[in-house]
C-alpha cells in the first residue's frame, strides 16, 4: 500500500526545548525518526512550522537530506492538510511525531496491512491494548478525512491534535497485533531529559540505528528500564502522599521518608503507570516534597490532586469576601509548593465548605477555574450523605471517599452514584482501603483506640477470608476487594518504603473479583461501629 508518512516536529517544545535536534545514534532525533519510519521505502515528510524558531530544524533536515514542509504552528491540522496538497482524497496518510524514534518501516507496514484489511477510516497504535510502550505509536487515515476535519471543526483541540474530529465521526480502531508483548507500562518517547537519556542508552552501540528492528529495541528497553515492576500498568492505583508530609497512620512506625526516598517512590510509581498523586494543603510538607519529586518533567506524566486548606484559621463569622480570600490564598500556596502555575485537580478537604460562608469558598474556586488556575474540581467526603450532596453540584468532577472491606455504609449508595455517572463524567477515588493500616495489624491496643468492641471477631474474619481468597495475605484481600469495585476508578494507597510500593503496584494489577466473588467474600461480615470506620473519632495515643 502506498502511503505518505507525515512526521510532526518543532523545536519549541516546553519541557525539553529543541529535543528533536538532540543526537541519538549519531544523528538528530528527528532525522533518526524519519529514517527509521521510511526504511521500507515510504516517503517521509517532516511537517514543521513557519516560525523562526524552526529555521535551524529545517537547516538540519536539509543537511541530512530529509524532506521538510513548513506550515501553521498552532493549527497543526491545517499544516497536515496543506502538506497534502495535490494528493488524491483516498491517499493513505500516516501521522508520526519527531520525538518517537522506535517505530520502523516494518511496524508501519504491519499497521498499513491491518488498515487495508479492516477497511476502516482510522487506525491507531497506542495505549494498554497495543501491548507496546508509550512512544511506539502511529495513526493512519486518508487525506479526505483530514480535509473534512479541517473544513468542519472550530475546536482548538481538534486543530492541535489533528485526528480527534476523524475519531469522533468515523470511530477509533486500534492496532493490537503486539498486545501479547505486555509492555504498555514502558516508555520510549522523548519528552524529558530522563526520557532522552534512556532512549540514548537503548540506541548506544546498535551499529546502524536506522535499521535496528523494533523487536530488538524493545528487548534493550526492557534491560535498560530497571524501575518497571508491574506486569500491567498500575493505572487504578492512586499514590497517597500524606505519609510524605506527616507521621500518618495508626500503624506507622517508620516516620516520614526523606526527599530522596520520596522522589524515588514517586517516580517509580509514575513509571509503572500510576496516573494520579493525592496530596493536600493539610498534609504538612507533602505538597513541597511532591513538587520537588516531579521536577525535571515528571509532572507532565501524572495528574496531581490536592485539597484546599481546611480553613481552620478562617474566622467562623468571616464575610464572603474574607472567606473567598482565604480560599484563594490556599490555592496559590498549593501552586507555589508544587511548583506549578495551575492545579490539575482541586478538592475541598471539608465537604461543608461547598455551602459555607454563603457559598463564597466554592464560588472562589469556580472563579479560579474560569481563570485557568484550577483544572477540575472535586470534594473529599466523609460519608455517603456528603457524597450525594456534593454530586448535586454539576461542577463536581471528582469525589474521594472512605471505603474498605468492612464499610457497609456505601451499600445503598452505589446505584445513586452510578446514576449520576451515567449523566456526566465523575471520577470516584476511594481512600482508607486499609483503614489507615488498622486492618493490617493484630495489635489489640490499636483496635481499642479505633473504638472497635469486636476486634477479635473482625480479625478472625479477615484472616479467614484472606486464607480463602489470597493465600492468607490480609493486605491483598483488603486492597483487591476495593480495586475490584466497578464503581471505583482509583484507590488511594500510601506507602513508606519501596517494598510497600512494589507490592501495592503489583496488587493493583491483580485480576478483579466479579460480583459473585465479592458477594461471597462479604458473607457473614462482622458489623463494626461507625466510629471505627471514621478515624476522626479514634482515640489518640495520649488519650
Amino acid at each position: 500500500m502506498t502511503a505518505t508518512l507525515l512526521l510532526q516536529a518543532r523545536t519549541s517544545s516546553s519541557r525539553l526545548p529543541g529535543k528533536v535536534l538532540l543526537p541519538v545514534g549519531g544523528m538528530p532525533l528527528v532525522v533518526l525518526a524519519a529514517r527509521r519510519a521510511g526504511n521500507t521505502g515510504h516517503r517521509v515528510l517532516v511537517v514543521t512550522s513557519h516560525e523562526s524558531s524552526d529555521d535551524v530544524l529545517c537547516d538540519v533536515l536539509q543537511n541530512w537530506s530529509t524532506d521538510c514542509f513548513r506550515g501553521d504552528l498552532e493549527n497543526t491540522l491545517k499544516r497536515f492538510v496543506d502538506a497534502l496538497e495535490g494528493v488524491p482524497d483516498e491517499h493513505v496518510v500516516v501521522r508520526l511525531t519527531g520525538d518517537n524514534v522506535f517505530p520502523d518501516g516494518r511496524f508501519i507496514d504491519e499497521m498499513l496491512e491491518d488498515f487495508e484489511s479492516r477497511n476502516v477510516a482510522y487506525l491507531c497504535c497506542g495505549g494498554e491494548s497495543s501491548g507496546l510502550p508509550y512512544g511506539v505509536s502511529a495513526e493512519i487515515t486518508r487525506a479526505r478525512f483530514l480535509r473534512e476535519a479541517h473544513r468542519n471543526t472550530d475546536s482548538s483541540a481538534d486543530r492541535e491534535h489533528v485526528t480527534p474530529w476523524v475519531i469522533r465521526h468515523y470511530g477509533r480502531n486500534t492496532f493490537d497485533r503486539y498486545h501479547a508483548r505486555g509492555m504498555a507500562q514502558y516508555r520510549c518517547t522523548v519528552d524529558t531529559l530522563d526520557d532522552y537519556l534512556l532512549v540514548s542508552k537503548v540506541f548506544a552501540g546498535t551499529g546502524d540505528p536506522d535499521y535496528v528492528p523494533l523487536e530488538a529495541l524493545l528487548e534493550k528497553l526492557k534491560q535498560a528500564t530497571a524501575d518497571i515492576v508491574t506486569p500491567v500498568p498500575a493505572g487504578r492505583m492512586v499514590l497517597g502522599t500524606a505519609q510524605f508530609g506527616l507521621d500518618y497512620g495508626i500503624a506507622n512506625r517508620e516516620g516520614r521518608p526523606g526527599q530522596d526516598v520520596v522522589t524515588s517512590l514517586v517516580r517509580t510509581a509514575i513509571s509503572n503507570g500510576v496516573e494520579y498523586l493525592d496530596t493536600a494543603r493539610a498534609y504538612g510538607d507533602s505538597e513541597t516534597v511532591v513538587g520537588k519529586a516531579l521536577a525535571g518533567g515528571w509532572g507532565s506524566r501524572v495528574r496531581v490532586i490536592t485539597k484546599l486548606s481546611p480553613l481552620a484559621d478562617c474566622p467562623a463569622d468571616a464575610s464572603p469576601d474574607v472567606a473567598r480570600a482565604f480560599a484563594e490564598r490556599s490555592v496559590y500556596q498549593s501552586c507555589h509548593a508544587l511548583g506549578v502555575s495551575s492545579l490539575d485537580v482541586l478538592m475541598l478537604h471539608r465537604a461543608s465548605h461547598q455551602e459555607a460562608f454563603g457559598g463564597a469558598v466554592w464560588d472562589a474556586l469556580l472563579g479560579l477555574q474560569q481563570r485557568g488556575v484550577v483544572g477540575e474540581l472535586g470534594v473529599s467526603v466523609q460519608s455517603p450523605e456528603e457524597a450525594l450532596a456534593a454530586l448535586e453540584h454539576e461542577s463536581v468532577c471528582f469525589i474521594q471517599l472512605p471505603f474498605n472491606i468492612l464499610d457497609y455504609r456505601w451499600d445503598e449508595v452505589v446505584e445513586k452514584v452510578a446514576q449520576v455517572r451515567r449523566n456526566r463524567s465523575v471520577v470516584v477515588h476511594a481512600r482508607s482501603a486499609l483503614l489507615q493500616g488498622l486492618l493490617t495489624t493484630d495489635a489489640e491496643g490499636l483496635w481499642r483506640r479505633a473504638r472497635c468492641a469486636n476486634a477479635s471477631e473482625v480479625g478472625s474474619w479477615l484472616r479467614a477470608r484472606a486464607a480463602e481468597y489470597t493465600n492468607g495475605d490480609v493486605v491483598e484481600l483488603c486492597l483487591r476487594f476495593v480495586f475490584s469495585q466497578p464503581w471505583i476508578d482509583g484507590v488511594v494507597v500510601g506507602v513508606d518504603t519501596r517494598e510497600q510500593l512494589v507490592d501495592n503496584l503489583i496488587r493493583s494489577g491483580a485480576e478483579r473479583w466479579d460480583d459473585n466473588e465479592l458477594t461471597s467474600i462479604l458473607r457473614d461480615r462482622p458489623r463494626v461501629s461507625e466510629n471505627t470506620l471514621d478515624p476522626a473519632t479514634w482515640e489518640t495515643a495520649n488519650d
Side-chain angles (χ1 to χ4, degrees):
M1 174 182 284
T2 302
T4 296
L5 281 50
L6 298 184
L7 194 148
Q8 179 179 330
R10 61 186 174 91
T11 57
S12 56
S13 54
S14 58
R15 285 181 288 275
L16 189 60
K19 63 184 178 182
V20 294
L21 301 178
L22 293 174
V24 174
M27 65 188 74
L29 188 75
V30 64
V31 173
L32 178 58
R35 289 191 171 187
R36 287 184 54 77
N39 66 16
T40 58
H42 295 291
R43 184 195 179 208
V44 180
L45 184 63
V46 177
V47 287
T48 189
S49 82
H50 284 304
E51 298 297 308
S52 59
S53 59
D54 287 321
D55 289 348
V56 173
L57 169 60
C58 292
D59 290 342
V60 168
L61 291 170
Q62 183 177 5
N63 290 339
W64 284 87
S65 301
T66 304
D67 291 341
C68 174
F69 176 86
R70 306 188 74 168
D72 194 293
L73 174 66
E74 301 297 338
N75 191 342
T76 314
L77 174 58
K78 182 178 186 300
R79 194 193 316 169
F80 271 59
V81 169
D82 290 347
L84 293 169
E85 184 176 359
V87 306
D89 274 350
E90 294 307 306
H91 188 70
V92 176
V93 182
V94 181
R95 179 183 179 229
L96 302 163
T97 56
D99 50 7
N100 293 332
V101 294
F102 271 44
D104 61 0
R106 180 182 174 188
F107 166 73
I108 291 167
D109 286 342
E110 289 174 339
M111 283 193 67
L112 288 168
E113 177 187 333
D114 196 37
F115 178 77
E116 184 176 31
S117 66
R118 292 165 68 174
N119 192 29
V120 294
Y122 171 88
L123 181 71
C124 70
C125 180
E128 187 171 347
S129 63
S130 74
L132 292 168
Y134 181 69
V136 185
S137 57
E139 296 176 286
I140 303 178
T141 187
R142 296 186 186 273
R144 72 179 174 94
F145 299 125
L146 294 176
R147 289 164 178 159
E148 279 184 37
H150 176 54
R151 288 195 302 268
N152 292 296
T153 186
D154 293 322
S155 164
S156 58
D158 288 349
R159 293 193 292 266
E160 178 184 358
H161 299 292
V162 182
T163 57
W165 188 93
V166 177
I167 295 170
R168 287 199 307 274
H169 287 79
Y170 291 98
R172 180 186 182 90
N173 301 284
T174 302
F175 178 73
D176 58 4
R177 187 171 298 180
Y178 289 84
H179 177 75
R181 292 282 317 195
M183 290 186 65
Q185 67 273 49
Y186 287 78
R187 180 180 175 93
C188 61
T189 192
V190 177
D191 191 51
T192 67
L193 178 59
D194 287 346
D195 290 335
Y196 169 66
L197 296 175
L198 174 61
V199 170
S200 296
K201 182 177 180 180
V202 170
F203 275 92
T206 55
D208 191 350
D210 304 27
Y211 290 94
V212 181
L214 174 61
E215 289 283 353
L217 293 178
L218 294 179
E219 288 305 314
K220 290 197 68 174
L221 180 65
K222 276 188 175 181
Q223 296 168 14
T225 310
D227 55 354
I228 301 296
V229 299
T230 54
V232 295
R236 297 190 76 237
M237 176 176 156
V238 178
L239 183 63
T241 69
Q243 289 95 326
F244 299 164
L246 299 167
D247 295 327
Y248 179 83
I250 194 170
N252 179 10
R253 297 189 182 93
E254 301 294 331
R256 282 172 278 173
Q259 181 66 58
D260 289 346
V261 174
V262 170
T263 298
S264 176
L265 293 174
V266 166
R267 294 183 178 182
T268 299
I270 295 170
S271 295
N272 284 276
V274 167
E275 298 174 0
Y276 290 96
L277 305 181
D278 178 77
T279 185
R281 274 273 81 206
Y283 292 170
D285 297 328
S286 175
E287 288 181 327
T288 299
V289 296
V290 166
K292 292 178 180 178
L294 295 176
W298 285 84
S300 67
R301 297 173 56 177
V302 72
R303 300 187 73 194
V304 177
I305 301 169
T306 193
K307 305 179 192 74
L308 194 74
S309 160
L311 302 182
D313 55 346
C314 181
D317 59 351
S319 69
D321 286 343
V322 170
R324 188 176 295 108
F326 271 85
E328 291 184 351
R329 181 186 68 172
S330 174
V331 170
Y332 286 113
Q333 285 175 330
S334 289
C335 288
H336 177 73
L338 288 165
V340 297
S341 59
S342 62
L343 303 176
D344 297 323
V345 182
L346 177 68
M347 290 185 177
L348 292 179
H349 211 143
R350 299 283 183 267
S352 60
H353 287 156
Q354 213 163 9
E355 308 296 341
F357 306 104
V361 171
W362 191 250
D363 285 345
L365 301 189
L366 290 173
L368 290 169
Q369 186 181 49
Q370 290 178 346
R371 303 204 305 264
V373 181
V374 173
E376 293 179 291
L377 292 172
V379 183
S380 176
V381 303
Q382 303 296 329
S383 67
E385 294 75 21
E386 286 188 351
L388 294 178
L391 288 172
E392 291 180 3
H393 293 253
E394 293 284 336
S395 49
V396 170
C397 297
F398 274 76
I399 290 287
Q400 187 187 108
L401 51 86
F403 181 77
N404 61 75
I405 196 170
L406 296 179
D407 200 337
Y408 55 85
R409 298 173 300 168
W410 298 91
D411 294 352
E412 304 301 321
V413 179
V414 173
E415 179 51 38
K416 295 178 182 177
V417 173
Q419 184 176 351
V420 173
R421 282 155 61 94
R422 284 192 287 269
N423 295 324
R424 73 175 197 268
S425 175
V426 176
V427 176
V428 177
H429 286 172
R431 65 177 184 273
S432 292
L434 300 177
L435 202 50
Q436 292 196 10
L438 181 67
L439 303 183
T440 70
T441 181
D442 293 324
E444 294 182 4
L446 297 181
W447 283 93
R448 282 197 300 271
R449 281 174 52 194
R451 303 180 185 275
C452 185
N454 57 336
S456 177
E457 178 190 10
V458 172
S460 296
W461 180 82
L462 287 169
R463 289 189 293 274
R465 291 296 164 269
E468 184 176 359
Y469 287 92
T470 56
N471 294 317
D473 189 334
V474 173
V475 174
E476 182 178 347
L477 171 77
C478 295
L479 289 178
R480 192 171 172 188
F481 178 84
V482 182
F483 277 118
S484 296
Q485 301 297 317
W487 60 286
I488 290 175
D489 301 296
V491 182
V492 182
V493 182
V495 299
D496 302 305
T497 66
R498 178 178 172 81
E499 181 182 14
Q500 288 179 355
L501 174 63
V502 170
D503 287 345
N504 291 329
L505 287 168
I506 294 172
R507 288 182 176 115
S508 73
E511 184 179 354
R512 298 188 201 180
W513 287 313
D514 61 27
D515 289 343
N516 291 333
E517 289 170 310
L518 292 172
T519 299
S520 177
I521 290 170
L522 292 181
R523 68 185 188 277
D524 65 23
R525 175 177 60 181
R527 188 92 163 186
V528 298
S529 72
E530 290 200 26
N531 285 335
T532 299
L533 297 173
D534 183 2
T537 70
W538 294 353
E539 299 173 0
T540 65
N542 297 323
D543 286 348

